[in-house]
Amino acid sequence: DGGITQSPKYLFRKEGQNVTLSCEQNLNHDAMYWYRQDPGQGLRLIYYSQIVNDFQKGDIAEGYSVSREKKESFPLTVTSAQKNPTAFYLCASSIRRARGTEAFFGQGTRLTVV
Amino acid sequence: AQTVTQSQPEMSVQEAETVTLSCTYDTSESDYYLFWYKQPPSRQMILVIRQEAYKQQNATENRFSVNFQKAAKSFSLKISDSQLGDAAMYFCAYRSARDDKIIFGKGTRLHILP
């Protein structure tokens, strides 16, 4: 089955530690996205990538880093510089520059920093 | 920069009645796409309906339809014959045709009253 896999579903980390969230897709999509969801804030764009080895900052990139070494994978690292990392994180992918094509989402990762 | 605004944090509608969710957006681009997504308690993002900016005709998908007013930068979602399964968070989204960036509004939580 084609889809987007985020792992793990729940993640706990101690304050001050970096943590990497995994996102893998087998839909052959070029574009991939990371969003953060907090209550009352909707989905806020962290980073997005249109092609391998290229990515752009979204609206709240500070304290996060990404890489795009393979088409299928777009891992997100939450660094210790992120002041309030506890949140629900969603990864998405889409066909690039195809008219009217929507983004497909993973199941999300709930990160809790203690 | 583009923005998406959903001014109704919560709404309620009686089962079988009709409800309209509002969305406005701001952009200087002429080519873009608009979407409504539904997020039930499972937190899985589900596409409800899409609209391409160059199409004047409003999109419809069964009980769901949009009122797209390009000049006013308005994109409202109408749900007819509301059902209990429609209870969810609804997000309006904007996709740039230029760089594939996708941004979301803060969402509207829809309650269905039996």
Side-chain angles (χ1 to χ4, degrees), chain A residues 45-111:
Chain A
L45 181 63
I46 305 173
Y47 271 98
Y48 66 107
S49 169
Q50 290 177 284
I51 56 173
V52 173
N53 293 322
D54 188 41
F55 48 83
Q56 290 78 41
K57 291 182 179 179
D59 299 321
I60 57 164
E62 186 176 349
Y64 299 97
S65 65
V66 293
S67 62
R68 188 81 189 278
E69 296 176 1
K70 298 187 298 182
K71 188 175 184 178
E72 302 79 22
S73 179
F74 191 40
L76 174 73
T77 297
V78 184
T79 74
S80 56
Q82 169 51 232
K83 295 180 181 178
N84 185 17
T86 294
F88 185 67
Y89 291 87
L90 280 163
C91 178
S93 72
S94 180
I95 297 172
R96 184 186 174 204
R97 294 190 175 175
R99 303 206 72 86
T101 303
E102 75 272 26
F104 294 82
F105 284 81
Q107 303 273 25
T109 293
R110 173 68 186 179
L111 173 64

Side-chain angles (χ1 to χ4, degrees), chain B:
Chain B
Q2 302 91 5
T3 59
V4 176
T5 302
Q6 294 180 248
S7 58
Q8 305 152 317
E10 287 194 65
M11 292 191 73
S12 296
V13 63
Q14 209 75 34
E15 194 176 2
E17 296 296 308
T18 296
V19 64
T20 299
L21 309 183
S22 300
C23 173
T24 59
Y25 59 94
D26 191 26
T27 184
S28 59
E29 298 177 334
S30 58
D31 194 10
Y32 51 86
Y33 316 109
L34 299 164
F35 305 90
W36 278 98
Y37 279 86
K38 169 184 177 180
Q39 188 183 47
S42 67
R43 306 196 84 165
Q44 180 64 47
M45 295 289 285
I46 302 165
L47 178 71
V48 174
I49 199 165
R50 78 189 82 203
Q51 176 78 43
E52 299 181 53
Y54 70 93
K55 290 185 177 179
Q56 293 186 338
Q57 187 174 5
N58 289 327
T60 62
E61 287 286 344
N62 300 314
R63 297 183 295 107
F64 299 88
S65 62
V66 299
N67 184 3
F68 174 49
Q69 302 289 329
K70 190 172 184 179
K73 295 179 182 174
S74 172
F75 183 61
S76 61
L77 173 70
K78 185 171 84 171
I79 306 173
S80 303
D81 185 25
S82 298
Q83 300 175 0
L84 294 176
D86 295 333
M89 281 291 290
Y90 285 81
F91 293 101
C92 179
Y94 170 102
R95 177 174 185 156
S96 167
R98 178 179 57 85
D99 64 2
D100 292 313
K101 184 177 182 181
I102 304 175
I103 59 170
F104 287 79
K106 292 187 177 182
T108 296
R109 182 172 298 282
L110 179 64
H111 303 277
I112 309 296
L113 306 173

